[in-house]
Amino acid sequence: MEDQKVIYDNKTVKLFILATLVWGIVGVLVGVVIALQLRFPAFNFGLEFTTFGRVRPVHTNAIIFAFVGNAIFAGVYYSMQRLLKTRMFSDLLSKFHFWTWQLIIVLAAVTLLLGFTTSKEYAELEWPIDILIALVWIAFGVNMIGTTVIRRVQHIYAAIWWYIATFVGVAILHVVNSFELPISLFKSYSLYSGAQDAVVQWWYGHNAVAFFLTTPFLGLMYYYLPKAAERPIYSYKLSIIHFWSLIFLYMWAGPHHLLYQALPDWAQALGVTFSIMLIAPSWGGMINGLLTLRGAWDKVRDKAELKFLVVAVTAYGMSTFEGPMMSIKFVNQLTHFTDWTIGHVHIAGMAWNGGIVFGMLYWLVPKLFRTKLYSEKLANAHFWIATLGILIYAIPLYWSAVTQWLMLREYTPEGFLAYPNFLETLTQILPMYTFRILGGTMFMIGFLLMVFNLAKTMKAGSMVAQEEAYAPVLVELGARDPKKEGMHRFLERKSVRFSIVAFIVLAIGGAVEIIPMTFVKSNVPTIEAVKPYTPLELAGRDIYVSEGCYNCHSQMVRPFRWETDRYGEYSKIGEFVYDHPFQWGSRRTGPDLARAGVVGGPMYKNAAWHYNHFMDPQKMNEQSIMPKYSWLAEKDIDLDIIPVKIRAMQKLGVPYPDGFDKIAVDDLKKQASGIVADLKASGITADPNKQIIAMIAYMHKLGRDISTPAVNDSTNMATAKVVVETLPTTPADLNSGKEIFGKLCASCHGPEGKGQATFPNLTDDVWIHGGTPTDVVNTITNGYPVKGMLPFKSQLSDQQIKQVASFILNSLKK
Amino acid sequence: MISSVLENIQGIEIYYIIGLLLFVVFFVVILIRTLRMPSKEAEHIKNSILNDNEIMTPSNK
């Protein structure tokens, strides 16, 4: 048969490789920076643009979309042309794809640091960028499916099904999760609210892992692993079966991110079941990958690229076993909100995604530049340092998760939380964060070695940008002959049809998960007491979103005793109906804030405390790792946009009265001056127009509507007063009092009890509420919640309260 | 008063059941189809990708 000339486009592949290397370094470096921030808050640099809450999304987006994304495209553009024996469908689309993708990355980094964010994890980018992403994605899809249409081979090899599933999957996810109502060029509100928003987001979040970090990588594995090992994939039949079951099952599993949270039971059960079923197809992929190497293990010993691929596939197997285990409700108690998840994603990200990318690059770059790898030794060094780095990164985090979880749920024999102060549990695990910095740095050094090695390789070789090859013309087979051709082979021949079937399979899972949630909305018994946010609270909420506080704080109390004792009443689905977007969070680096506004609850702090805390968290709690937010007291609330926000919320179904937008600014000013007066009473002069006022208003809104208003102050106290004649004064008692004081009281009254800011000195003779043992014990027991003194009766036993009172009156006063 | 919110929503399990059934049917079909595929054909496809180096380009002929 006549051979036709094919000219492969290597230039686009090279560009994507270069972008992978550049963004990879950036992403890993930013990762090391945020690891430093979590250990040493000084690395937040006191600037709003560099606080953890804003930089963390830069890290995740840079790794996922910039590093991994460009690597996928490099791998796809190279392998597709060879597999289908044709040039990519359109040069123009290839060019558009490459350059617009890079533009998106730059825009993403800039806007995230400026605080423009939707707060939906891995989908933080605001609506104009979302539109750009959609355009690029369409270009990629058309280019790819177009290439399958003009191919010169009969069948479409397994790798390409995965590429197509990636395209279809991400397209569905991106569109469904990005429904938002723009209110300005860089701000929008999610169309979904509360629980519904959470389900859509985590359906997205979970499947972004599936269709950006799994399917394309399985595709790359099906091509680059056989190529590098020079032997065919173990079982082609297994690849068909695990392909369809994997893409079918993944779409259903999202709710495993929301176990024990304010979500209907059926949705949680759905997520758990499908997550566990996912083990099977995932392990199908791992087994297929590992068995491909049977009899070739000697090659693995010599070649760094194979080593990386083996570790990658093994890590894939581990992570896809760990993931389903983490979806079991009991295990999820531990893994959710703790560092376990961080360990899990880094095993998967660094070893599986990183491993495939590194393995691919070590094989591909010499191939593309028609030369040998500059240094096999350096590549092996990279392998060992990276693998070790990953272990040093992940193991301490698993340790930290277990430690913190055990501490959080430990009770004293008297039935009180053993560690009522959240910060204590955090301080305990900080040393683990030092290991994380080390592990991350090692991984980065390995990465740099690779960049050097590949740069040298590129320099030594020469790439033919337009590579010529010859391939026979494809003969059209026409209609299917059922006797000769199996159904799947037939589907493979018809790539467009194949894509449509893949779409349907994916859409079913999505629909089953999302559609019932629309019913949930009408089925949620609205909680009468829950009121829409006031304009000031709404402004504060938007600042909370833009500062990325959700990266460290959850707003979701799960129904466990050790959570309700620590934070307050557990969260109800009906509380969130006005939340666009939801702010449940996924990691508790700091304490949960869902009950921060419940006066008399364990989390309540008065305005003065919040003011001082935002200005300088380390002043209030020396060991805190929360960044300073002092500019909140300098930046003005944007008043012009308030009416626009109110109107947008009305459109989304929030029941503000008609014409409320016109009086919203007045309402805001009135509430702000109330807070300013409150601060004034504590001796703090603040300007009502500043963002910090809005933030305090928002903090005090959290959980307030479903709590019973606190009965105020002394009148009530007087009737409940317990008379205390003597206080325990043995050295053991005083010591234990001292310890409690350091943990629970010092953050307000200062380490020596001398008071600070507006919090009273307990060592002088001036008493607001009386200095007798009876007075002091009662103050500590019941508190003066509205004035900012917490009631400790739910956190300390009577004996402990007496000990700390004794410590104040006997030891501090001297 | 609000504690009953986490309860099931009436009749919603139907989605769950239909979905599972769809999956099972789909899976069985794929499984049977695939297992009945001739092994020779599978061999051919998986080996074919290794050959693409062999396409002669003028420079390395």
Side-chain angles (χ1 to χ4, degrees):
Chain A
M1 197 184 306
E2 180 77 19
D3 272 0
Q4 269 182 339
K5 186 152 93 175
V6 192
I7 299 177
Y8 292 144
D9 167 15
N10 283 345
K11 192 174 148 212
T12 308
V13 179
K14 178 180 150 188
L15 285 174
F16 275 122
I17 292 178
L18 294 178
T20 306
L21 297 177
V22 171
W23 294 124
I25 299 263
V26 174
V28 176
L29 181 69
V30 175
V32 172
V33 170
I34 57 176
L36 279 164
Q37 292 180 334
L38 288 179
R39 181 71 189 79
F40 309 106
F43 283 93
N44 288 289
F45 303 116
L47 291 172
E48 56 177 307
F49 313 107
T50 48
T51 48
F52 179 82
R54 290 196 188 179
V55 184
R56 184 215 182 229
V58 174
H59 169 62
T60 51
N61 281 282
I63 293 294
I64 301 176
F65 299 110
F67 166 58
V68 164
N70 277 304
I72 295 171
F73 301 139
V76 169
Y77 273 78
Y78 179 87
S79 61
M80 264 201 123
Q81 301 186 69
R82 271 76 185 172
L83 284 169
L84 301 174
K85 308 249 188 284
T86 177
R87 191 182 175 82
M88 288 305 287
F89 175 64
S90 154
D91 284 352
L92 186 70
L93 286 179
S94 305
K95 211 180 219 157
F96 173 76
H97 177 189
F98 177 79
W99 289 109
T100 318
W101 193 255
Q102 311 315 315
L103 173 71
I104 289 170
I105 294 169
V106 173
L107 286 177
V110 173
T111 54
L112 288 175
L113 292 178
L114 288 175
F116 302 130
T117 171
T118 65
S119 82
K120 295 186 149 199
E121 287 181 57
Y122 327 124
E124 287 94 346
L125 305 177
E126 267 298 353
W127 66 274
I129 307 182
D130 277 348
I131 293 174
L132 263 187
I133 295 175
L135 289 179
V136 179
W137 205 253
I138 293 169
F140 173 50
V142 171
N143 208 8
M144 189 158 67
I145 294 177
T147 311
T148 63
V149 172
I150 58 165
R151 71 188 185 276
R152 291 196 178 76
V153 293
Q154 214 51 263
H155 58 266
I156 300 178
Y157 179 70
I160 292 170
W161 321 334
W162 294 102
Y163 301 160
I164 291 176
T166 302
F167 162 67
V168 177
V170 173
I172 299 178
L173 295 168
H174 180 67
V175 169
V176 175
N177 196 35
S178 299
F179 284 128
E180 50 216 3
L181 180 65
I183 60 160
S184 72
L185 185 55
F186 283 110
K187 173 77 192 157
S188 64
Y189 288 127
S190 171
L191 285 194
Y192 313 103
S193 74
Q196 207 181 5
D197 196 36
V199 168
V200 174
Q201 156 60 22
W202 284 111
W203 166 77
Y204 167 90
H206 171 71
N207 286 297
V209 171
F211 291 94
F212 215 84
L213 300 174
T214 302
T215 55
F217 279 79
L218 286 166
L220 297 178
M221 177 189 90
Y222 273 108
Y223 183 75
Y224 292 95
L225 185 63
K227 291 302 255 186
E230 294 170 315
R231 47 181 58 227
I233 195 76
Y234 171 65
S235 164
Y236 190 77
K237 290 184 182 179
L238 179 57
S239 68
I240 298 176
I241 296 167
H242 102 100
F243 171 78
W244 287 108
S245 14
L246 192 137
I247 69 166
F248 197 103
L249 291 179
Y250 245 108
M251 277 284 178
W252 306 60
H256 68 200
H257 289 260
L258 300 169
L259 301 178
Y260 291 113
Q261 302 184 28
L263 199 66
D265 286 345
W266 64 266
Q268 301 191 25
L270 186 80
V272 175
T273 321
F274 278 86
S275 307
I276 292 175
M277 286 166 73
L278 259 177
I279 295 184
S282 307
W283 277 42
M286 174 190 66
I287 290 169
N288 223 357
L290 287 182
L291 288 184
T292 298
L293 292 167
R294 75 199 183 291
W297 289 98
D298 50 321
K299 282 192 196 145
V300 176
R301 211 177 42 223
D302 305 332
K303 287 184 168 172
E305 71 242 35
L306 278 178
K307 282 204 201 85
F308 270 120
L309 292 173
V310 168
V311 164
V313 175
T314 315
Y316 176 64
M318 269 166 56
S319 302
T320 52
F321 178 74
E322 188 189 5
M325 291 302 114
M326 290 162 70
S327 324
I328 297 172
K329 277 186 120 180
F330 178 75
V331 183
N332 191 266
Q333 274 188 46
L334 187 179
T335 61
H336 199 67
F337 289 140
T338 66
D339 281 323
W340 194 284
T341 309
I342 321 296
H344 171 64
V345 300
H346 281 84
I347 293 266
M350 289 161 136
W352 159 240
N353 299 117
I356 295 273
V357 173
F358 301 149
M360 173 181 99
L361 291 179
Y362 279 124
W363 179 84
L364 180 54
V365 169
K367 190 112 197 136
L368 211 53
F369 285 80
R370 299 158 173 253
T371 177
K372 279 176 84 136
L373 186 63
Y374 169 72
S375 162
E376 195 70 40
K377 253 207 189 113
L378 267 185
N380 274 304
H382 173 198
F383 172 78
W384 288 112
I385 198 168
T387 308
L388 210 63
I390 294 169
L391 294 178
I392 294 180
Y393 184 104
I395 294 172
L397 287 189
Y398 289 130
W399 185 268
S400 130
V402 175
T403 311
Q404 193 176 28
W405 182 66
L406 290 175
M407 287 177 82
L408 285 172
R409 66 201 297 277
E410 189 174 328
Y411 275 88
T412 60
E414 293 84 28
F416 293 92
L417 285 169
Y419 304 97
N421 185 355
F422 179 91
L423 187 58
E424 232 184 306
T425 69
L426 177 67
T427 310
Q428 188 72 28
I429 60 177
L430 281 183
M432 299 299 146
Y433 290 6
T434 311
F435 284 102
R436 161 159 66 188
I437 298 166
L438 183 68
T441 309
M442 287 172 69
F443 192 79
M444 186 168 71
I445 292 172
F447 203 116
L448 289 169
L449 289 182
M450 177 181 78
V451 172
F452 173 76
N453 204 350
L454 293 182
K456 282 286 193 190
T457 310
M458 290 180 188
K459 218 165 162 201
S462 71
M463 187 193 80
V464 181
Q466 310 297 336
E467 188 182 348
E468 289 184 10
Y470 291 86
V473 197
L474 177 65
V475 192
E476 267 302 325
L477 281 190
R480 177 168 89 102
D481 175 356
K483 287 205 202 70
K484 279 203 199 129
E485 198 178 20
M487 193 64 192
H488 201 264
R489 287 281 279 116
F490 173 66
L491 269 184
E492 282 171 36
R493 281 206 293 120
K494 299 286 174 190
S495 50
V496 176
R497 211 169 309 175
F498 183 95
S499 312
I500 293 171
V501 175
F503 171 79
I504 293 171
V505 167
L506 294 178
I508 292 175
V512 171
E513 210 181 296
I514 308 285
I515 292 174
M517 280 320 278
T518 56
F519 293 98
V520 169
K521 198 170 180 189
S522 50
N523 273 296
V524 172
T526 32
I527 302 174
E528 272 310 314
V530 175
K531 300 276 178 295
Y533 295 99
T534 65
L536 186 66
E537 290 158 3
L538 188 61
R541 190 170 204 275
D542 289 339
I543 300 165
Y544 185 92
V545 166
S546 114
E547 293 303 340
C549 308
Y550 64 88
N551 285 299
C552 283
H553 290 287
S554 58
Q555 291 184 16
M556 171 54 56
V557 182
R558 296 177 293 178
F560 302 128
R561 183 175 157 225
W562 45 278
E563 294 216 341
T564 53
D565 280 358
R566 182 180 304 280
Y567 302 120
E569 183 69 12
Y570 68 86
S571 300
K572 317 291 186 312
I573 202 170
E575 284 179 55
F576 304 101
V577 287
Y578 305 130
D579 289 8
H580 300 270
F582 78 111
Q583 288 296 303
W584 296 0
S586 64
R587 169 79 187 95
R588 279 184 191 144
T589 300
D592 188 277
L593 297 179
R595 300 292 175 245
V598 179
V599 182
M603 288 304 289
Y604 185 80
K605 302 282 160 37
N606 67 359
W609 191 89
H610 281 303
Y611 189 93
N612 284 302
H613 184 251
F614 285 130
M615 297 305 281
D616 188 354
Q618 284 72 37
K619 200 174 94 198
M620 309 309 283
N621 283 310
E622 216 181 311
Q623 276 142 331
S624 176
I625 55 170
M626 174 159 152
K628 300 188 196 339
Y629 285 99
S630 51
W631 61 88
L632 291 181
E634 283 153 27
K635 286 176 70 176
D636 284 329
I637 301 167
D638 181 358
L639 293 179
D640 295 342
I641 203 161
I642 297 289
V644 185
K645 286 183 176 177
I646 297 294
R647 285 193 293 271
M649 284 293 167
Q650 282 172 324
K651 250 186 233 156
L652 295 174
V654 178
Y656 290 113
D658 275 343
F660 187 65
D661 56 321
K662 299 204 183 61
I663 54 167
V665 173
D666 293 337
D667 183 286
L668 181 146
K669 287 186 172 156
K670 207 169 119 219
Q671 195 185 358
S673 60
I675 295 175
V676 168
D678 183 5
L679 287 170
K680 184 93 191 163
S682 308
I684 297 169
T685 332
D687 175 343
N689 277 331
K690 300 299 174 192
Q691 296 191 344
I692 200 163
I693 304 297
M695 187 66 104
I696 294 172
Y698 177 56
M699 293 289 110
H700 282 170
K701 160 80 172 178
L702 293 170
R704 186 187 62 208
D705 291 348
I706 67 145
S707 66
T708 36
V711 255
N712 209 348
D713 289 349
S714 29
T715 41
N716 176 55
M717 298 266 306
T719 54
K721 247 181 191 175
V722 193
V723 181
V724 180
E725 301 286 343
T726 49
L727 291 170
T729 49
T730 66
D733 287 321
L734 290 177
N735 248 337
S736 129
K738 181 177 180 184
E739 204 177 295
I740 296 167
F741 191 89
K743 285 178 191 165
L744 293 178
C745 319
S747 72
C748 290
H749 295 288
E752 264 118 49
K754 294 223 163 56
Q756 56 178 339
T758 61
F759 299 96
N761 185 339
L762 303 178
T763 62
D764 54 13
D765 287 325
V766 185
W767 292 97
I768 313 169
H769 301 291
T772 66
T774 303
D775 293 331
V776 174
V777 165
N778 279 284
T779 301
I780 302 171
T781 310
N782 298 313
Y784 291 88
V786 179
K787 307 291 281 302
M789 171 62 195
L790 305 175
F792 282 93
K793 59 172 172 253
S794 63
Q795 298 180 43
L796 297 173
S797 66
D798 290 348
Q799 182 62 17
Q800 284 175 312
I801 290 177
K802 282 184 192 157
Q803 288 170 335
V804 72
S806 175
F807 169 73
I808 294 173
L809 293 175
N810 296 308
S811 309
L812 279 184
K813 293 216 72 160
K814 276 181 213 136
Chain B
M1 43 150 190
I2 332 164
S3 54
S4 59
V5 179
L6 273 178
E7 273 177 19
N8 265 343
I9 292 166
Q10 286 294 310
I12 211 95
E13 314 81 43
I14 189 76
Y15 284 93
Y16 188 10
I17 296 165
I18 293 178
L20 266 174
L21 279 179
L22 273 175
F23 173 72
V24 171
V25 171
F26 178 79
F27 183 77
V28 170
V29 171
I30 292 273
L31 194 70
I32 295 175
R33 285 287 180 182
T34 310
L35 292 180
R36 285 178 53 198
M37 167 181 183
S39 291
K40 222 174 61 209
E41 195 177 309
E43 288 297 315
H44 170 72
I45 299 175
K46 69 189 200 187
N47 283 318
S48 67
I49 75 149
L50 295 175
N51 304 334
D52 72 4
N53 303 339
E54 262 102 83
I55 302 176
M56 291 295 119
T57 56
S59 54
N60 66 2
K61 236 172 203 166

